[in-house]
Amino acid sequence: VPDTSRLPAVYFLYVLGSGGHSAEMIEMIKRNFRGQPNQHRRYVITSGDTSSQHMAEKLEALVSAAYPSVPSSPGTGAGTSDAFRIRRARDIHQPLLTAPLTCLVSASHAVGALTRPPAARSATRHGHQFRYPHVIVTNGPATGFIVCAVAHLLKIFYLVPQNRLRMVYVETWARSRSLSLTGKLFLWSGIADMFCVQHEGLARGTRGAEFVGVSVCRGCRRRVVLVRLLDRLTMMGWG
Amino acid sequence: MHSDQVLPRRCFVTIGATAGFRQLLDEIIQPAFLTCLAEHGFDMLEVQCGPDHDWFAQQTGSLEKEATHGVEIRSFEYTKDMQSHMLECRGEAGVRLAGCIISHAGSGTILEALRYQAPLVVVPNPTLMDNHQAELAEECEQQNWAVYGKLGHLAAAVGRSCERLAQGRSLSHLNALAPYSPPPFPVPERERVTLFDWMVLTCYPDELARQQHLRDLDAVELAFVEEQWQKSETETAGREREDLRSSPLEVD
């Protein structure tokens, strides 16, 4: 059983894209969740997406209720959290001509999301360990690819330490036979450290796939894994 | 409660929060569909209509009483409380029979319905250019999570859903579940998904190596314990056979 409670810092960055993706993301976070004082959670939300913001706030309220902490003391309860807004890569109906420009703006905001240290941890004992996220998780929105592409660039130019910004891509449960565009981009570019799908048929059909049908990952190298992150559907008892 | 008291049985139709789905709404007020509902003991049809609510209310308003075959029809545009409407289709002992949720093929809606363990029929919306919704509905059918409902054959789909309930011994419990309680948060450690934690550990290679070693040791220890248990089982079985042989008379 992995135990991260004695590490100096555990910093997750979750990308909450559009509504459908965000709801699933929140469920995944809940399934993985273990409240520890050394944890910081940053939610990246596209500006103007109020529903994702509400979902993040609801989750944090649930966390605070489950892990009571001493106010203004980040070393207790379930750690700290914050949200970072970035501009959408492309608005609906926006002419494609101006898309490269808005993508660049989006990417520059992403740099901030990845590198601005959490305010709540700045003056604390292990504050410098919280400088960059350990793990970035996204499940499909284009924003997720932008954030991860930027993270990848920061790493290959050695602008951030090599033992940070691990990237986990989880294809949304809605895709059972084929990958989404974002999924294809992640697979083709190979920038994800862990590429997950949630349906067996998709795992079989994807090049280089290997089954890890349960929840524990063995040695996290680059490959495609099948994970059951959401409900255990066999509980229905059908068939 | 009298033994012959008939429990309520509800059908809930939800077309989603984004696009309209008039074809679905049209089919569920046809006599073929309503007769099917009545035959399977449904007493209410509740419909989340979306943008076509006014049109739907008009259509049902003009339906004569005999045309509804005893099925009460209620409708509304949207709801913020999908959960309570869906729970009305969850079979609970002494409260209601397992009903049927007929929903568009949105993954969030499907997952929610399955979480409540209510029988589900998934209907992809052909006006959406979303091919993967039809794929998802097919996958649900193949994995036995839901019935794939095709437009024009929804009565048959509901029939199949009810048949599955009636046939499988393992499924009859869906009629008599305990009242729904949301999954606990945080998830118990045994059931927790640990993928993200392993990823964090890759940032601390020494710690990762140490914990992988511990996990492998656990696996070895578990295998050893299992082996011992197997051995003791065969020994006990062997001893029992010997006992029987020594006293061949009374075996109650």
Side-chain angles (χ1 to χ4, degrees), chain A residues 5 9 19 27 34 47 90 98 101 132 148 155-156 163 166 169 185 187 190 192 201 221 223 228 230:
Chain A
S5 57
E27 265 309 298
R34 196 201 202 189
S47 52
R90 182 174 161 264
T98 54
L101 212 65
Y132 305 104
C148 288
K155 280 170 83 168
I156 64 174
N163 65 346
R166 298 276 187 265
Y169 179 76
L185 281 170
L187 196 64
R221 287 186 316 275
R223 55 171 193 249
R228 300 212 186 279
L230 297 181

Side-chain angles (χ1 to χ4, degrees), chain B residues 95-120:
Chain B
V95 178
R96 68 184 93 80
L97 293 175
C100 187
I101 299 178
I102 301 178
S103 98
H104 73 127
S107 61
T109 315
I110 295 175
L111 283 172
E112 199 177 349
L114 292 175
R115 198 175 305 141
Y116 304 140
Q117 294 186 273
L120 176 64

Side-chain angles (χ1 to χ4, degrees), chain B residues 52-215:
Chain B
D52 293 307
H53 179 234
D54 290 337
W55 172 85
F56 187 79
Q58 212 180 38
Q59 299 290 318
T60 49
S62 60
L63 271 181
E64 290 168 8
K65 193 139 189 297
E66 297 86 48
T68 63
H69 299 274
V71 177
E72 185 188 339
I73 304 181
R74 275 197 215 157
S75 65
F76 51 87
E77 201 175 348
Y78 297 108
T79 173
K80 287 198 175 150
D81 188 13
M82 191 60 78
Q83 174 167 326
S84 36
H85 294 286
M86 285 195 171
L87 282 179
E88 290 292 326
C89 301
R90 173 187 164 96
E92 282 175 23
V95 178
R96 68 184 93 80
L97 293 175
C100 187
I101 299 178
I102 301 178
S103 98
H104 73 127
S107 61
T109 315
I110 295 175
L111 283 172
E112 199 177 349
L114 292 175
R115 198 175 305 141
Y116 304 140
Q117 294 186 273
L120 176 64
V121 172
V122 179
V123 189
N125 188 342
T127 63
L128 298 176
M129 298 308 288
D130 250 336
N131 196 22
H132 72 268
Q133 285 206 351
E135 291 176 348
L136 186 60
E138 259 186 56
E139 182 73 6
C140 288
E141 168 100 36
Q142 272 184 20
Q143 300 288 337
N144 273 324
W145 298 329
V147 170
Y148 182 177
K150 298 204 167 98
L151 285 171
H153 306 279
L154 287 182
V158 171
R160 264 202 338 269
S161 182
C162 296
E163 256 171 49
R164 288 191 183 193
L165 268 182
Q167 275 173 5
R169 229 174 1 125
S170 60
L171 299 181
S172 56
H173 77 282
L174 290 179
N175 265 324
L177 297 166
Y180 175 73
S181 64
F185 178 81
V187 177
E189 190 63 33
R190 236 177 343 110
E191 295 167 18
R192 197 169 70 89
V193 178
T194 51
L195 175 65
F196 299 167
D197 285 358
W198 283 115
M199 294 303 292
V200 170
L201 282 175
T202 63
C203 301
Y204 297 92
D206 295 337
E207 189 62 29
L208 175 66
R210 193 181 77 88
Q211 294 205 18
Q212 277 181 324
H213 180 62
L214 284 176
R215 193 209 49 212

